[in-house]
């Protein structure tokens, strides 16, 4: 097959988000010969192991020994290889490890903090991420970018969404994906769309049965994460199919949203049919 010049860049807050939400579309694009890159923002390993009680509990739950993030990076490479995409892992730390630059205090010490607002100390992080990826977005062949809607309101997802909004305002084509499994219901998605006056429009990208199988195979590589959401790989695959049926409407699909440039008119939301 003649390689396509079309470029796709998926912005993934964590090592699994893009595949969980977009794995079928990624597979279909790669099958068409398009160049697909998944950039994971918060993929860095913490520098030392002086864990807080919270992060120690997480490590124990993940059954991880020395460096659970390294294990997750390896899982991500295997998953993206299955889909035919390439990986870029940025070295920013997951929010559970991030500390206040002045005091060293954890910025997000509890689960409630992780799903609250982005800490003021990180107000410039979205802009810094934009700069870091600037070379990928440059001409001659501008990519289409896929970014999280931040349904579920995880702070790391919010930061990547803020970054993507900057790209929208700079004229980059961005499709926002429904963060799965957070985005399981319309209410959670509606809350993510309610951001002060932008007009959102939903589109469904249809999936073939083959693409859904590939997505399930890829998600299965994230072994350390599956137990957080499902009791088994089989249950994950059933949930994946049920979600693809709901998101697809008349067939299997994944849901994506485009957004207007900055608000000038009154807010409108075009909801799913
Ligand atoms: Zn995530």
């Amino acid at each position: 097959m003649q390689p396509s010049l079309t470029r796709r860049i998926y912005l993934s807050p964590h090592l699994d988000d893009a595949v969980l939400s977009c794995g079928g579309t990624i597979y279909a694009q790669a099958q068409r010969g398009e160049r697909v890159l998944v950039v994971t923002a918060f993929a860095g390993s913490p520098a030392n192991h002086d864990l807080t009680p919270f992060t120690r509990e997480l490590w124990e739950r993940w059954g991880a020994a020395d460096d659970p993030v390294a294990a997750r990076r390896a899982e991500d490479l295997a998953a993206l290889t299955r889909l035919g995409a390439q990986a870029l892992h940025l070295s920013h730390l997951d929010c559970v490890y991030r500390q206040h630059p002045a005091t060293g205090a954890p910025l997000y010490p509890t689960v409630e903090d992780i799903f609250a607002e982005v800490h003021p100390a990180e107000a410039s992080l979205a802009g810094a991420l934009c700069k870091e990826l600037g070379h990928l977005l440059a001409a001659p062949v501008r990519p289409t970018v896929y970014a999280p809607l931040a349904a579920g309101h995880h702070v790391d997802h919010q930061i990547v969404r803020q970054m993507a909004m900057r790209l929208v305002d700079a004229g980059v084509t961005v499709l926002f994906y429904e963060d799965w499994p957070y985005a399981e219901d319309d209410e959670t998605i509606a809350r993510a769309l309610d951001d002060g006056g932008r007009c959102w429009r939903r589109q469904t990208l249809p999936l073939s049965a083959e693409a859904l199988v590939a997505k399930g195979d890829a998600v299965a590589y994230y072994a350390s994460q599956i137990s957080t959401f499902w009791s088994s790989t089989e249950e994950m695959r059933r949930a994946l199919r049920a979600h693809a049926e709901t998101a697809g409407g008349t067939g299997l699909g994944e849901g994506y949203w485009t957004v207007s440039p900055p608000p000038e008119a009154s807010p409108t939301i075009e909801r799913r049919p």
Side-chain angles (χ1 to χ4, degrees), residues 178-210:
E178 299 174 345
D179 322 52
W180 194 69
Y182 298 120
E184 196 61 91
D185 60 275
D186 285 356
E187 202 179 308
T188 306
I189 292 172
R191 271 200 300 275
L193 301 174
D194 184 14
D195 71 343
R198 289 181 185 253
C199 178
W200 292 89
R201 191 178 294 272
R202 188 178 192 274
Q203 58 182 276
T204 302
L205 298 185
L207 294 188
S208 66
E210 180 189 326

Side-chain angles (χ1 to χ4, degrees), residues 99-102 107-108 118-125:
Q99 300 169 332
H100 195 285
L107 291 176
Y108 306 99
V118 174
H119 194 286
E122 303 201 294
S124 61
L125 187 47

Side-chain angles (χ1 to χ4, degrees), residues 13-17 72 154 156-157 182:
H14 305 115
L15 293 154
D16 62 6
D17 288 310
R72 292 189 60 183
H154 189 296
D156 288 344
H157 290 230
Y182 298 120

Side-chain angles (χ1 to χ4, degrees), residues 2 18 36 96 104 144 149 175 180 222:
Q2 189 76 13
V36 187
V96 299
T144 301
L149 203 50
L175 275 70
W180 194 69
Y222 298 106

